[in-house]
Amino acid sequence: NPGLVRPLLVAGAFVNRVDSQGTDAMLAAALQGDAQVIAALLEHGAEPSAKRAGGMSPVEAAEAAGHTEIAGILRGSGG
């Protein structure tokens, strides 16, 4: 939800924080196809190419979930 994510990022939330299962906000947004959250994370320095849970990158996650537009956005941002 971009309405929740943006204020947290503005307040200084760590954009590349990984939870106990190896997932971060970028991977979750890629899996959900949430372009607004992806854009907010990228604006605040999130790493689009790092491998996450199970060795999957956000681009790979977006593709696996059928979100080709999101995969393109991430590729264009260095993912």
Side-chain angles (χ1 to χ4, degrees):
N1 180 332
L4 296 174
V5 172
R6 284 192 187 275
L8 291 172
L9 294 171
V10 169
F14 183 54
V15 295
N16 294 312
R17 181 169 169 19
V18 177
D19 68 15
S20 63
Q21 296 176 335
T23 302
D24 66 0
M26 181 70 78
L27 185 64
L31 285 168
Q32 294 173 2
D34 196 326
Q36 291 180 329
V37 170
I38 297 261
L41 292 167
L42 289 170
E43 288 170 17
H44 286 87
E47 176 56 54
S49 61
K51 298 280 185 177
R52 276 111 171 150
M56 184 177 283
S57 73
V59 171
E60 294 164 336
E63 289 173 340
H67 302 300
T68 54
E69 181 181 334
I70 299 300
I73 291 169
L74 290 167
R75 272 198 197 90
S77 298

